[in-house]
Amino acid sequence: MSTRTVPAPTPPGCTETRDGREKCLAWGLLLFLSVAAWRWAGLRAADGPFFAAAAALLLAAALVARPRSWWSRDPFFWFGLVFLAYLACQRWNAGRELRFDDAIRRWAYTDPPHPRWPWAFSRPEAAQMLHWFFPAWAAGLCVRCPALSRRGLRPVLHGLAYNAAALALFGTVRELAGAQSLFGYRPAYADFFATFTYTNHAAAYFLLMAALAAGLLFRQVFRRDRPGRRIEKAALAASLLLCLVGANLSLSRAGIILSWALALFIAGYGLARGWRLWRPAARLRMAVLTAAAAVVFVLTVAGAGGEAIRREFTLRRRPAHQAVPGLEQVNLDLSDRPRLWGAAWAIFRDHPWYGTGGWGFRYLAAFYLPRDHWSSLKSNPGRANAHCDPLQFLVEFGIAGAGGLALAWGALAAGLFRRDLARGALFTLSCAGLTLVAAFSLIDLPFRCPSVLWTWTVVLAALPKCTAREPREVGAAAVKH
């Protein structure tokens, strides 16, 4: 005799309600990241409170969609919360002024209100760190929320790729038209591309999005069980090419070099993977399509910005610090970055535990640089940054704060090492994009662009969920004998 256990019926409307909440959360997340990219990449300080409020609404939606305390078991929640509390403490204890000290006959900053606590120089600038990192934490938690499934994340990742393609196309058209302003506003002291007022930020963003688009494209191309629609493949292929073109036309030297390295890796990965899976006819078709895409890419870049790119790599003066010794005939000058790195390291050694607060580097850099370098600090606002994100975070947040940030990101990265992940095209190529942006941060500041920071965090958080192997189908009923 057997006993059949029948699962309880789902109450009418529950599935529809759950799907509606998931769609609301997914489209809200995509809208937030898309608006940030188009709104000067989230860099305008006046927009910070509005983006923080929007991120808080997203987080509230995630908590409402899954009211159980899923977050209490998530290490990313706790490490991120501790880091944000640290930033809030720096803001609370901000307030140092530059005064001339008659006793020591030199200029010096006054002590913070509470010398034994984490501090910052300026309260508004310390608050800006919260406006940058709170949305990253909230968006990452939305992705990790159980209410947002792999199916729900699919339109988010595809939407990010298509939005980036639209941005790249917008920037390319304006570059060809010789536009001198952005939405009627001319960025001061910097070149710009698309909606990014710093070209290296644009390059980092389009590198990440090109890798994501390539992963989504090859995931469709190599699937045997559910082959993707042709229009979807064509849209992803166009997004990939436009993002690579955008990374080149940003005229960031590092971005151009990394984009060509990424393009070669994508082509090599696609051909190698297809060669193992397909028959000779399909291999030939794949090789022809890859070659055609490469020709289109090269001709587009050469036609739209070939002369400008050549100028970027043409040596105009003797390099201050050549990145690759032996290639003195090519402009790979790091400019004064090594000197800024040395100043940042010296500042960190003097303030190792609590750091100097958000934007603290710009207040102290002159004390650690030769007098003949002071004029460049005044004439170039970019020198407010160390142009090395790890060093910048150590200077601003110290070991205590940077350690909290590293643990939060580490909690996301740990998901990439789970055994149940299918390490196929989406995983491999997206990881390549994440790695390139991280490598870029060693010589520049992509993570000081909110749009890059938030999108990078979302892609990192989404990969484990989007690449997890599907569990085997089991019967709806259990039979006991």
Side-chain angles (χ1 to χ4, degrees):
M1 184 176 179
S2 63
T3 303
R4 184 176 297 275
T5 304
V6 181
T10 303
C14 283
T15 302
E16 291 81 358
T17 301
R18 184 169 60 249
D19 288 347
R21 290 176 177 175
E22 183 179 40
K23 289 180 180 178
C24 179
L25 185 58
W27 287 102
L29 182 60
L30 175 59
L31 180 64
F32 173 79
L33 295 173
S34 300
V35 170
W38 283 92
R39 182 72 178 176
W40 288 282
L43 264 176
R44 294 187 71 184
D47 294 335
F50 298 100
F51 282 119
L57 289 176
L58 277 176
L59 185 57
L63 296 176
V64 170
R66 188 68 177 234
R68 294 183 181 179
S69 58
W70 54 270
W71 45 267
S72 64
R73 301 181 300 275
D74 190 340
F76 176 67
F77 173 85
W78 293 109
F79 290 140
L81 186 63
V82 169
F83 175 64
L84 292 174
Y86 181 85
L87 295 182
C89 184
Q90 284 189 323
R91 179 187 179 279
W92 161 75
N93 197 28
R96 301 188 66 181
E97 296 180 0
L98 184 63
R99 295 179 180 176
F100 187 79
D101 192 325
D102 291 323
I104 59 176
R105 306 297 299 172
R106 58 176 295 183
W107 291 93
Y109 283 99
T110 59
D111 291 333
H114 305 276
R116 296 186 179 182
W117 289 81
W119 51 270
F121 284 95
S122 165
R123 182 164 290 185
E125 291 176 344
Q128 192 173 27
M129 299 298 106
L130 286 168
H131 297 157
W132 288 358
F133 287 100
F134 171 75
W137 177 69
L141 284 174
C142 288
V143 172
R144 291 166 71 89
C145 173
L148 192 56
S149 65
R150 173 167 50 184
R151 184 185 64 178
L153 275 173
R154 184 176 180 274
V156 176
L157 297 184
H158 281 74
L160 286 175
Y162 301 147
N163 180 70
L167 264 177
L169 181 61
F170 172 75
T172 300
V173 171
R174 294 185 69 79
E175 187 74 18
L176 293 175
Q180 298 296 317
S181 65
L182 180 61
F183 300 137
Y185 164 78
R186 179 172 176 79
Y189 308 110
D191 296 325
F192 66 93
F193 180 78
T195 57
F196 293 84
T197 55
Y198 181 47
T199 55
N200 283 355
H201 287 165
Y205 180 81
F206 289 120
L207 280 172
L208 176 60
M209 291 294 96
L212 176 63
L216 293 170
L217 171 63
F218 285 154
R219 190 183 201 188
Q220 297 291 340
V221 169
F222 295 135
R223 292 194 75 161
R224 295 178 176 179
D225 52 346
R226 294 196 302 271
R229 295 174 297 178
R230 289 185 178 180
I231 188 171
E232 188 174 34
K233 293 177 184 178
L236 288 171
S239 298
L240 167 60
L241 288 174
L242 283 170
C243 287
L244 288 175
V245 169
N248 278 266
L249 296 188
S250 68
L251 301 183
S252 159
R253 291 194 300 273
I256 293 169
I257 294 170
L258 292 177
S259 70
W260 283 92
L262 178 63
L264 290 174
F265 179 72
I266 291 170
Y269 177 86
L271 290 173
R273 183 81 182 275
W275 213 261
R276 293 196 306 267
L277 295 177
W278 293 336
R279 295 177 179 178
R283 294 173 184 171
L284 178 60
R285 185 167 60 250
M286 179 67 174
V288 170
L289 289 174
T290 302
V295 170
V296 171
F297 172 50
V298 171
L299 291 178
T300 303
V301 170
E307 185 59 34
I309 291 174
R310 281 191 292 272
R311 285 198 301 269
E312 286 296 317
F313 287 95
T314 299
L315 203 63
R316 302 190 187 105
R317 55 178 173 78
R318 184 178 180 181
H321 297 91
Q322 184 73 351
V324 182
L327 288 177
E328 282 75 12
Q329 69 277 15
V330 181
N331 183 16
L332 297 175
D333 189 9
L334 291 172
S335 186
D336 57 354
R337 280 175 170 80
R339 184 173 291 179
L340 294 173
W341 298 340
W345 182 250
I347 295 172
F348 166 67
R349 291 179 62 183
D350 286 345
H351 305 85
W353 295 108
Y354 291 155
T356 61
W359 293 104
F361 174 78
R362 76 184 189 93
Y363 288 91
L364 295 176
F367 290 90
Y368 294 84
L369 290 171
R371 184 181 292 271
D372 59 2
H373 197 73
W374 289 1
S375 59
S376 67
L377 293 178
K378 293 181 63 177
S379 61
N380 191 336
R383 298 302 180 263
N385 303 282
H387 288 268
C388 174
D389 278 338
L391 265 178
Q392 187 92 28
F393 293 149
L394 283 173
V395 168
E396 292 181 341
F397 310 137
I399 293 174
L405 176 60
L407 288 172
W409 272 340
L412 296 181
L416 302 179
F417 298 93
R418 285 169 23 192
R419 294 183 178 181
D420 64 333
L421 300 187
R423 291 173 172 81
L426 179 59
F427 180 90
T428 302
L429 295 175
S430 296
C431 282
L434 293 169
T435 303
L436 286 178
V437 175
F440 206 156
S441 74
L442 298 178
I443 60 169
D444 213 85
L445 41 111
F447 294 119
R448 295 186 77 76
C449 172
S451 186
V452 175
L453 171 65
W454 300 340
T455 307
W456 191 90
T457 302
V458 164
V459 173
L460 177 59
L463 269 188
K465 185 179 288 187
C466 291
T467 59
R469 291 189 178 93
E470 296 183 9
R472 294 181 178 180
E473 293 292 331
V474 296
V479 179
K480 297 181 179 179
H481 296 277

